Amino acid sequence: MLIGFRDWAQFLEAMMAVRNVLVTGCSSGIGLALAVRLARDELKRFRVFATMRNLEKSEALKEQVGPALDKMLEIKELDVTSEDSIRRCVNSIPQRRVDVLVNNAGFGLIGPVESQSMASIQNLFDTNFFGLVRLIQEIFPDMKRRKRGHIVVMSSVLGLQGLLFNDIYSASKFAVEGFCESLALQALKFGIRISLIEPGPVLSEFERKLYEEAASMDLSGVDKETLDIFHNFYLAYSKEVFTALGQTPEEVAEHVLKVITSENPPLRYQTNSFYTPITTLKHADPSGNLPLNTFHQMIFQHDRLFKASLSLLKMLQWRKRRDMD
């Protein structure tokens, strides 16, 4: 019995409409929230292949996805730093058909640049940038043959605007932005869309790990003035920024769903409207001096204004969430 369908033709059409979505980095944070949201979609539009490097960390996903597990969602092992791992995962998907690729796997790195080892910098780029390139090299040719597909890349507002003590992380996201913007020209010719999702702060495991690592960082080679800025300004106010502007992974997942289901998905999509003026400021002055001087004055000369701005943003964010509830 074809419950809810008039005939086999309608049933087959509905089955064909279900899109295979491969999501990386699903053990926590945005990846987990998105995998659950897509798998529990009321219209059952997605078959989710939720991937992670370590399958031992899949319990939270299994618990949250509930009865949709194995029906609308499969958990697979995938390490974006390994070409063999990526190939095995894609080969395990029927007909290797990935309609939507969501590249979410990544990690952060904060602190004075002179305190970062080259090994840690290379590891970050190996995941945040080269991991994306490896996925594209494996999946993009299949999409081109089918003349359809959507590549959704978790970027950041820090891929548009650099931030104090986020030099390396921001550089990796700038690389992601340039790569995708260039590739989008070719992709469009083959009927493939590329979308860069640009969140601001996200309240997740990602953030917690970042500050834990900062607390144990070797700063013995850093000068006193830089240490003072890092500890007494950056670390002191970063948590307030997250409180004032931070989104939950679930909020970001809703925005990603909107992009995936859009008939005309954008190249760039910012999930947090509070950051729009910051990116607009950058494009207002091609020399780059306007945003640079503005942030320098706000941080180092008008810190009271910075504190007052955070308080105002906290109130606005609270009101926004209250209205949404």
Side-chain angles (χ1 to χ4, degrees), residues 174-192:
F174 265 75
V176 163
E177 292 269 335
F179 174 73
C180 289
E181 186 173 296
S182 299
L183 189 66
L185 293 168
Q186 180 194 158
L188 199 58
K189 176 69 175 175
F190 289 89
I192 302 165

Side-chain angles (χ1 to χ4, degrees), residues 9 89 114 179 296:
C89 179
E114 59 266 46
F179 174 73
H296 183 270

Side-chain angles (χ1 to χ4, degrees), residues 2-19:
L2 304 177
I3 300 175
F5 299 98
R6 292 192 302 272
D7 50 33
W8 272 106
Q10 188 185 36
F11 175 74
L12 291 173
E13 182 181 353
M15 289 298 291
M16 289 296 290
V18 175
R19 289 193 282 173

Side-chain angles (χ1 to χ4, degrees), residues 2-294:
L2 304 177
I3 300 175
F5 299 98
R6 292 192 302 272
D7 50 33
W8 272 106
Q10 188 185 36
F11 175 74
L12 291 173
E13 182 181 353
M15 289 298 291
M16 289 296 290
V18 175
R19 289 193 282 173
N20 287 346
V21 185
L22 174 64
V23 187
T24 66
C26 294
S27 61
S28 64
I30 297 172
L32 188 155
L34 179 62
V36 170
R37 180 65 182 88
L38 294 176
R40 300 183 68 173
D41 177 56
E42 298 84 354
L43 301 177
K44 300 186 184 303
R45 293 169 289 182
F46 311 104
R47 175 73 180 176
V48 183
F49 298 95
T51 73
M52 60 191 70
R53 182 171 54 184
N54 184 357
L55 292 179
E56 293 180 1
K57 296 183 177 181
S58 63
E59 290 307 312
L61 176 56
K62 290 177 181 177
E63 182 180 343
Q64 292 188 37
V65 79
L69 183 65
D70 297 328
K71 296 177 182 177
M72 304 306 293
L73 180 142
E74 291 182 35
I75 300 174
K76 293 182 177 291
E77 182 180 5
L78 189 152
D79 179 356
V80 299
T81 66
S82 166
E83 293 175 37
D84 289 339
S85 176
I86 292 171
R87 188 169 298 113
R88 282 195 302 271
C89 179
V90 175
N91 285 341
S92 72
I93 297 172
Q95 291 83 50
R96 287 175 49 97
R97 184 169 66 88
V98 177
D99 301 303
V100 182
L101 167 65
V102 181
N103 180 75
N104 169 72
F107 64 92
L109 189 65
I110 60 174
V113 67
E114 59 266 46
S115 69
Q116 313 292 354
S117 70
M118 286 308 300
S120 63
I121 294 170
Q122 289 169 344
N123 286 338
L124 181 138
F125 267 83
D126 201 24
T127 297
N128 291 11
F129 177 66
F130 291 112
L132 168 63
V133 175
R134 292 185 189 98
L135 285 164
I136 296 294
Q137 287 181 330
E138 186 65 34
I139 293 172
F140 194 47
D142 291 339
M143 287 185 170
K144 288 199 288 186
R145 279 192 290 273
R146 291 193 301 268
K147 295 289 194 295
R148 66 168 62 91
H150 192 182
I151 297 169
V152 179
V153 179
M154 197 58 60
S155 181
S156 168
V157 292
L158 296 189
L160 298 173
Q161 175 66 55
L163 180 66
L164 189 69
F165 294 120
N166 280 260
D167 322 280
I168 306 303
Y169 177 75
S170 185
S172 73
K173 292 303 182 180
F174 265 75
V176 163
E177 292 269 335
F179 174 73
C180 289
E181 186 173 296
S182 299
L183 189 66
L185 293 168
Q186 180 194 158
L188 199 58
K189 176 69 175 175
F190 289 89
I192 302 165
R193 304 306 293 260
I194 295 180
S195 297
L196 288 153
I197 309 296
E198 298 163 339
V202 179
L203 304 167
S204 68
E205 186 76 2
F206 183 96
E207 173 210 2
R208 187 186 65 79
K209 286 181 179 178
L210 207 56
Y211 288 107
E212 280 184 358
E213 291 169 3
S216 60
M217 190 181 299
D218 180 10
L219 299 171
S220 57
V222 181
D223 64 273
K224 187 177 182 301
E225 187 174 2
T226 301
L227 281 177
D228 181 60
I229 298 169
F230 182 56
H231 284 296
N232 298 324
F233 179 81
Y234 179 79
L235 290 180
Y237 289 117
S238 283
K239 292 184 179 180
E240 290 192 39
V241 170
F242 270 87
T243 302
L245 295 173
Q247 293 178 296
T248 65
E250 289 74 22
E251 285 178 276
V252 176
E254 288 296 333
H255 285 286
V256 178
L257 175 64
K258 185 185 297 184
V259 171
I260 290 175
T261 56
S262 171
E263 291 185 10
N264 186 28
L267 174 63
R268 287 189 169 88
Y269 183 97
Q270 291 184 28
T271 68
N272 195 325
S273 59
F274 286 120
Y275 275 85
T276 303
I278 295 175
T279 55
T280 301
L281 189 67
K282 179 173 182 176
H283 294 294
D285 179 13
S287 76
N289 288 331
L290 178 60
L292 183 64
N293 292 334
T294 300

